Amino acid sequence: MKHLFPLAFGFAIVSLLACEPVNNVDNGNCEISGLRLSATINSQFWCASFFLTANLINNQVVIEGASGADFLTLRFLDYNVPGTYTTDATFNTIQYSSSIMGNFESSDFSPGQLRITEHDAADNILKGTIDATLISGLGENVLISGEFDVIYIE
């Protein structure tokens, strides 16, 4: 029983450290080539500092990242050829979930832009930028401008 207190105390400290603010920039993943997803969301810097994955699923690239309790998910059907594409509610989607502000996603009513700047199909490298206004189910908006540099898994 006396060993449970240090274990519980240690768990509480780890739990508190895992809850970082949205604009925390003190992490290594923000600048690592092939492992980067960052954005400015309503004028606050955000970076996938907790985890970042990139996968090719059913001919769609899915990039998911988290920082503390905030998540950003990008799903792109248009990724093969560098160029500028529209983000919407169906083909090239952006979703942001904030522990403070709620859930937001790209929509057909306010399309944004996806720019694929590099796609190396041999090495599964994908780089680009996003700019969009995301909308919540309550009609609230967040402005997002970001970049990604990932190596995706097939």
Side-chain angles (χ1 to χ4, degrees), residues 74-125:
L74 313 175
R75 291 182 176 88
F76 304 141
L77 285 173
D78 293 318
Y79 68 90
N80 260 339
V81 178
T84 301
Y85 304 94
T86 301
T87 61
D88 54 28
T90 309
F91 297 106
N92 299 308
T93 64
I94 304 169
Q95 296 173 313
Y96 174 64
S97 176
S98 166
S99 60
I100 297 170
M101 298 185 299
N103 299 319
F104 299 85
E105 58 187 27
S106 52
S107 75
D108 295 333
F109 303 109
S110 181
Q113 285 193 330
L114 158 68
R115 284 178 217 85
I116 301 296
T117 57
E118 180 183 335
H119 181 222
D120 180 341
D123 293 323
N124 294 352
I125 296 171

Side-chain angles (χ1 to χ4, degrees), residues 20 27 32 36 40 48-49 57-58 80 85-86 94 117 129 131 135 138:
E20 34 185 65
N27 65 78
I32 298 174
R36 184 178 61 217
T40 300
S49 60
I57 303 170
N58 295 327
N80 260 339
Y85 304 94
T86 301
I94 304 169
T117 57
T129 62
D131 288 293
I135 301 172
L138 301 174

